[in-house]
């Protein structure tokens, strides 16, 4: 069980504290929703959490299937909709370092891990997830 304590700091800003580690995250409302846009917005964190979760689950699988993810990056684009205001699509592009010659089996494991991470499984099915793997 994870515990987080979040405080409203005013001016559409919050501070969340991960109680076990003491790490903090500041959020700010985005410019297009009355905020300053000086930090991640809560919906930015949703998109970032999806990308981080995918990489983490891919990394858990790596030793068992003989591949490495070192140096892999993820570009994430969050697209908002209206009525109601919500995230309608997250575009995720994985960029693997050149020279990694993944086998077909390793690519299947990587892609399955990404698509079935806990965050992906927790999101509403109407949220479109566009995923690209650049091997």
């Amino acid at each position: 069980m994870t515990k987080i304590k979040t405080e409203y700091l005013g001016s559409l800003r919050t501070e969340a504290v991960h109680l076990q580690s003491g790490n903090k995250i500041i959020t700010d409302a985005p410019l297009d929703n009355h905020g300053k846009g000086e930090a991640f917005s809560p919906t930015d964190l949703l998109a970032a959490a999806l990308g981080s979760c995918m990489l983490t689950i891919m990394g858990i699988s790596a030793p068992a299937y003989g591949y490495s993810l070192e140096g892999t990056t993820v570009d994430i684009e969050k697209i908002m909709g209206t009525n109601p205001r919500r995230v309608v699509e997250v575009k995720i592009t994985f960029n693997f370092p050149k020279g990694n010659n993944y086998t077909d089996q390793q690519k299947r494991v990587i892609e399955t891990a990404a698509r079935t991470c806990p965050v992906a499984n927790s999101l509403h099915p109407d949220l479109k997830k566009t995923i690209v793997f650049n091997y």
Side-chain angles (χ1 to χ4, degrees), residues 9-10 20 23 34 48 58 60 76 106-107 117 129 134:
L9 303 176
Q20 182 178 342
N23 286 326
H34 312 288
M58 290 159 53
I60 289 170
I76 303 167
Q106 289 169 333
K107 288 178 182 179
C117 79
K129 294 174 281 303
N134 292 325

Side-chain angles (χ1 to χ4, degrees), residues 50-69:
L50 179 59
S52 292
C53 186
M54 288 176 163
L55 269 178
T56 300
I57 299 303
M58 290 159 53
I60 289 170
S61 301
Y65 289 92
Y67 65 85
S68 172
L69 292 177

Side-chain angles (χ1 to χ4, degrees), residues 1-4 18-21:
M1 172 174 54
T2 299
K3 292 190 177 185
I4 301 163
H18 181 263
L19 296 180
Q20 182 178 342
S21 68

Side-chain angles (χ1 to χ4, degrees), residues 70-86:
E70 308 306 321
T72 300
T73 62
V74 182
D75 295 319
I76 303 167
E77 181 181 354
K78 174 196 76 174
I79 299 168
M80 296 295 292
T82 57
N83 297 323
R85 183 173 171 82
R86 64 186 179 91

